Amino acid sequence: MKKLTQLSLIALAVASGSAMAAPKTFVYCSEASPSYLSPVLGTDGATLDASGQTIFDRLTAFENGTTNVIPSLAEKWDVSEDGKTYVFHLRKGVKFQSNKEFTPSRDFNADDVVFSFNRQLDPTNAYHKVSGGNYEYFTGMDMQNIISKVEKVDDYTVKISLNVPNSPFLANLAMDFASIYSAEYAEKLLKAGTLEKIDSNPIGTGPFEFVSYQKDSAVRYKAFENYWGGKAKIDRLVFSITPDASVRYAKLAKGECHAMPYPNPADIEKLKSDSAITLLTKPGLNIGYLNFNVKKAPFDNVKVRQALNYAVNKKAIVEAVYQNAGQVAKNPIPPTMWSYNEDVKDYEYDPEKAKALLKEAGFEKGFETDLWAMPVSRPYNPNARRMAELVQADWEKVGVKTTIVSYEWGEYLKRMRAGDHQTGMMGWTGDNGDPDNFLNTLLSCAAVESGSNYANFCYKPFNDLVTQAAQETDLAKRTDMYKQAQVIFKEQAPWITVAHSTTYFPVRKDVKGYVVSPFGLHNFYSVDLEK
């Protein structure tokens, strides 16, 4: 099928509008094809479903570990004194979208919440294995063991019972994995034997309605006329898939798109001086890292991992790859996050110490390994290939020879989850401002099972701390546990923590109302285009 150009996409949107007033079409030049259209299935940031919605909107503020949530599909909630029972009172009058497969006969209610959670929680649910059945967020945070049951109290009340208290639970329910699907739509697809359409042809209650996806070209949405919060200011939303950052910038400069993520660091100064563009920025709640697959020799040897930490010049990487738009990382959580341990001592750049440790580990003459590099720009790593080349040169100085490996983004993630790699570039942008979202989701034993722990790092002293911290309600005690966990992480060295990057998001001057999210999300509901 011939790819649609950006101009033809806009022309198509205009042609479908009224003769009196052309619809407002917002074009976002995205960096990659979505790995999934269903937010319950992926964690990579390329997952895309602007039509979905959770019972809370994403958290907006964090003070002393206290989270503020904005009611969305739930208007209010009650929590038991023991922290194990949550009762959610749902919003009434919320409409579901429709598509060629489905026209809803009722509003959103408790049945939809119960179905959406049980799909991931209950292995006997008819939808549990659909689309691969890999719920990386859900299992990475051990939700299958934390949640006991999800029950309908009445049409607009849902009770979630936990096996153990979970301090970040409300924060986690604002994340994409908790998006709500239509139980009525699921039932229709079940009867038709086309269950996979729930993920490939999604509907939800959000401000934008899914129209179509053309692989490696575009994803198109239209404003949902019956959105409970009122129709969005823009009429059409087009994700124009543009992997090359230079091409994204060229499209932005020509007015072929209104916004783009992840500009080349070398282009930042030009963007700042471009009179047609506003460069939005925010400190990133992220970490770019290189993980060692600790299940594979020689990376099952902690001395090898420590040696290769000493062998990498991270300051040079921040200068060359990030163009100083970031800072060297020493911990697996960013310094803006509560419980960050300032006292942890990083591995300084010391090739001689690296050689000595390799000799102690029995690798005086070095060894050969692979080094996986992401094929796309991410908020935590603008150029993984360049970073891999710098690491390759550093490791060669201590006798470790590498072969740089890469795949298409979806395949890269799939193979890394499967543990095919020995070492590889990866990273993370926080979802909710809680340390649990990094330390547990990326480094716990449960996260090995889910696939989000790419290092396959399952170390009991560390795991016990992050598990206990999630169940602790006393903030001071939680903070202390997370600080201890960071010390253990550094000693065990399952990663090389490379950098925390600054987020830059250029938009054209006619774009109004866009707000940069610390979580790497893109909320286009409040966006408008002014002539």
Side-chain angles (χ1 to χ4, degrees):
M1 184 181 291
K2 185 179 179 182
K3 289 187 178 181
L4 293 175
T5 66
Q6 195 57 62
L7 291 176
S8 65
L9 281 168
I10 296 173
L12 179 62
V14 171
S16 64
S18 68
M20 293 182 64
K24 291 182 179 180
T25 300
F26 186 94
V27 182
Y28 168 62
C29 279
S30 62
E31 80 288 357
S33 294
S35 299
Y36 303 96
L37 289 173
S38 172
V40 305
L41 297 171
T43 64
D44 63 302
T47 302
L48 181 66
D49 181 11
S51 67
Q53 202 165 32
T54 57
I55 61 175
F56 297 129
D57 279 341
R58 198 60 64 93
L59 308 184
T60 57
F62 314 95
E63 276 187 61
N64 300 320
T66 301
T67 58
N68 294 329
V69 297
I70 302 174
S72 179
L73 298 182
E75 290 189 298
K76 58 181 180 177
W77 55 93
D78 306 305
V79 185
S80 64
E81 286 190 14
D82 65 1
K84 293 170 67 175
T85 303
Y86 291 75
V87 177
F88 299 97
H89 306 279
L90 306 180
R91 186 182 298 277
K92 297 179 180 179
V94 174
K95 306 293 183 186
F96 271 106
Q97 301 152 3
S98 59
N99 58 27
K100 293 178 181 179
E101 305 287 338
F102 173 70
T103 301
S105 67
R106 63 164 175 80
D107 291 351
F108 155 83
N109 68 21
D111 291 325
D112 306 306
V113 177
V114 173
F115 164 74
S116 300
F117 278 91
N118 281 342
R119 174 188 176 176
Q120 300 176 79
L121 179 64
D122 181 5
T124 67
N125 185 282
Y127 278 85
H128 186 73
K129 298 291 186 183
V130 172
S131 304
N134 180 33
Y135 307 110
E136 192 173 323
Y137 262 128
F138 193 85
T139 56
M141 293 183 294
D142 206 28
M143 284 292 171
Q144 73 277 17
N145 293 314
I146 291 169
I147 297 176
S148 170
K149 54 186 173 180
V150 182
E151 302 170 279
K152 173 182 176 179
V153 177
D154 58 43
D155 279 351
Y156 290 97
T157 311
V158 172
K159 182 170 74 171
I160 300 181
S161 303
L162 308 185
N163 290 312
V164 293
N166 185 250
S167 291
F169 189 66
L170 287 178
N172 290 339
L173 291 193
M175 290 165 55
D176 294 341
F177 82 88
S179 293
I180 305 302
Y181 293 77
S182 166
E184 188 183 15
Y185 182 37
E187 185 62 30
K188 177 180 173 62
L189 295 176
L190 182 62
K191 289 178 180 177
T194 55
L195 287 74
E196 69 285 348
K197 288 185 178 180
I198 199 166
D199 297 317
S200 62
N201 195 7
I203 67 160
T205 61
F208 295 101
E209 194 169 348
F210 176 73
V211 175
S212 66
Y213 169 43
Q214 186 178 12
K215 184 172 173 56
D216 298 329
S217 178
V219 188
R220 291 189 291 135
Y221 295 89
K222 62 182 179 181
F224 181 33
E225 297 283 348
N226 295 316
Y227 178 56
W228 62 265
K231 181 181 172 295
K233 296 179 177 68
I234 55 175
D235 302 298
R236 301 286 188 270
L237 175 61
V238 178
F239 284 64
S240 177
I241 298 160
T242 314
D244 189 285
S246 297
V247 178
R248 289 198 298 274
Y249 183 14
K251 286 185 174 183
L252 185 71
K254 293 176 184 176
E256 293 181 14
C257 59
H258 298 97
M260 62 166 280
Y262 321 135
N264 283 323
D267 291 333
I268 296 301
E269 291 307 314
K270 286 190 290 183
L271 284 162
K272 287 179 180 177
S273 60
D274 192 324
S275 61
I277 292 170
T278 300
L279 184 63
L280 305 174
T281 185
K282 197 164 202 151
L285 196 74
N286 59 44
I287 173 73
Y289 63 86
L290 189 160
N291 73 85
F292 301 110
N293 187 343
V294 303
K295 286 187 176 179
K296 290 185 175 181
F299 304 106
D300 54 348
N301 187 322
V302 67
K303 288 186 178 180
V304 170
R305 302 196 299 266
Q306 291 173 343
L308 294 186
N309 265 272
Y310 280 118
V312 172
N313 188 341
K314 295 193 288 189
K315 184 179 178 183
I317 289 175
V318 170
E319 291 173 354
V321 177
Y322 295 84
Q323 300 285 303
N324 290 317
Q327 64 186 101
V328 168
K330 68 176 180 179
N331 288 325
I333 64 174
T336 52
M337 182 170 282
W338 62 271
S339 82
Y340 182 84
N341 194 338
E342 292 281 4
D343 296 330
V344 167
K345 189 176 185 300
D346 200 8
Y347 294 95
E348 70 273 16
Y349 176 51
D350 191 335
E352 293 308 312
K353 190 172 288 187
K355 289 177 183 177
L357 278 169
L358 286 172
K359 183 177 180 180
E360 287 179 32
F363 295 98
E364 184 176 4
K365 294 182 179 180
F367 57 87
E368 294 183 4
T369 184
D370 61 31
L371 175 55
W372 288 31
M374 298 173 297
V376 295
S377 299
R378 306 305 303 143
Y380 44 76
N381 189 337
N383 190 336
R385 179 76 190 195
R386 178 62 180 140
M387 184 185 293
E389 290 168 352
L390 292 170
V391 171
Q392 181 182 51
D394 283 343
W395 283 359
E396 190 161 352
K397 292 173 185 174
V398 300
V400 176
K401 295 183 178 180
T402 63
T403 301
I404 297 175
V405 176
S406 194
Y407 297 94
E408 178 273 329
W409 184 222
E411 185 70 13
Y412 182 93
L413 291 168
K414 179 182 176 181
R415 287 173 178 263
M416 189 167 278
R417 288 187 193 108
D420 293 349
H421 65 296
Q422 289 177 286
T423 73
M425 303 289 179
M426 193 43 74
W428 189 254
T429 297
D431 296 289
N432 57 27
D434 196 289
D436 177 81
N437 183 240
F438 284 77
L439 300 175
N440 213 326
T441 303
L442 304 180
L443 291 158
S444 68
C445 296
V448 172
E449 178 186 346
S450 72
S452 58
N453 184 340
Y454 297 106
N456 288 304
F457 175 68
C458 180
Y459 186 64
K460 190 175 186 303
F462 177 92
N463 195 71
D464 287 350
L465 278 169
V466 297
T467 300
Q468 292 166 22
Q471 297 174 19
E472 178 57 61
T473 57
D474 185 292
L475 180 61
K477 291 180 180 178
R478 280 192 84 197
T479 298
D480 185 60
M481 290 177 187
Y482 287 137
K483 285 187 173 183
Q484 291 179 54
Q486 289 166 72
V487 172
I488 294 172
F489 164 87
K490 207 64 188 176
E491 291 171 350
Q492 290 299 308
W495 298 353
I496 297 176
T497 51
V498 180
H500 307 291
S501 69
T502 302
T503 298
Y504 289 103
F505 192 74
V507 300
R508 291 193 62 82
K509 290 288 187 183
D510 58 344
V511 175
K512 306 299 177 185
Y514 184 88
V515 178
V516 178
S517 165
F519 310 123
L521 302 173
H522 301 290
N523 185 348
F524 298 110
Y525 176 58
S526 61
V527 169
D528 199 0
L529 295 173
E530 293 185 0
K531 300 297 183 183

